Amino acid sequence: MKDAKLLVAISGGIDSVVLARLCHLSGLDMALAHCNFHLRGEESDKDEKFVRELSKQLEVSVYTEHFNTKAYAGEHGLSIQLAARELRYNWFAQLQDTLNFDYLLTAHHADDNLETFLINLSRGTGIEGLSGIPPVNGKVIRPLLPFSREEIFSYLKKNGWQWREDSSNVDTRYLRNKIRHDIVPQLKMLSPDFLEQFRRTQHHLSECETILKKHVEEIKEKIIKKEGERWIVDISLLGRLSPLESYLYYLFKDFSFPVDEVRKLLHAMSGKRITSRGYIMVKDRENLLIEPLKGSKTGCYTVDEDVKEITEPLHLKFFEGKELGENQKNTVLIDKDKLKYPLIVRKWEKGDYFYPLGMSNRKKLSKFFKDEKISVLDKQKIWLLCSGDDIVWVIGHRLDNRYKITLDTVNKMSVVLNPSE
């Protein structure tokens, strides 16, 4: 820590002022970071001015950022508190990346831990919401967690340090403030060492969470396989777990899928799907498939006769008069004289059919995909190379029998998918 480059989050309040001054007294390499959320008019601007003056006293750099918090909250459907949190941590992360800060220091303390516990308790959280704010979380460090609000304030007064009071901290319309002013004082009256006993309880909960995480990872290894960007979940093994609801929560919470929706998907027809903020989960026969949500390429792409290579919507190379090997998944040999230009590259559609290589009868693509055991998610990624209304190649899978080279073929063409591979 002594040689680390530190970014200290500071609002101008008691806790962050004490943290900043302690870092300065310790001779640490530090800079201050202050967010002006413009939620309290002139008061917010005075907070910023105070932090700038403090940075001059400490002779350290200060970074400030202004946010239209109310607009951001409205655009993203967030409460003001959640919007402010998201804005500041996103900005802190940007500062860390661009200016090479090793760690971000925040002034969370023991009372914050208790308040967060009670908030999460009221919302029906899992054990991870009750085990406390971690003192170290990646590149975020919270050095004041062992200390109470009273201890920190007493230390500030003893040293005669100035601070800014946030008037919104007394507004009990906010849940955290209501807990802070109406509930926590009552709890502390139960025992003079209530906060210390609470710390011990959270320590035990944290240890239980560690055990739980280890068990969940062992279960994941048995029922979930990772292939590239896809997770494949064995439904039969998943269904044997008990209590199922809790397992579903812990196994899929990183993907943000609602437990009830996942449970329904277990018994749904193949092809049913659900989405979360960043992922899609699809029922595919005996498995659940999970992939990151991505913008899909749609529409038709034309290929003129003089084109030798395309890179959109996928990478294809066209070689005339060359035989690059027998027909296989990524390379096909085509009788060029049977083609009608321009060729078309498009996604498959319901009702599409072709004559699979080696067969004289036509086959619907949906039946072909089923027979080839192509998953629901993979079907969505399949493109076709077409000549007029005919499918020439189910790209990456099978050539149409009508376009294969024969003894009568005069002009040949090879088409290669992902030639760099």
Side-chain angles (χ1 to χ4, degrees), residues 49-60:
K49 182 181 179 182
F50 170 83
V51 170
R52 289 186 180 279
E53 290 174 351
L54 178 61
S55 71
K56 292 178 182 177
Q57 292 177 33
L58 303 182
E59 297 182 332
V60 297

Side-chain angles (χ1 to χ4, degrees), residues 301-312 314 316-320 336 341-343 345 385 413-415:
Y301 298 75
T302 58
V303 181
D304 292 320
E305 189 170 1
D306 59 346
V307 171
K308 305 302 180 187
E309 183 176 12
I310 64 171
T311 56
E312 287 290 337
L314 66 177
L316 294 177
K317 244 184 177 179
F318 302 87
F319 300 90
E320 288 188 39
K336 188 185 177 188
Y341 285 91
L343 302 179
V345 178
L385 179 65
M413 183 170 70
S414 297
V415 186

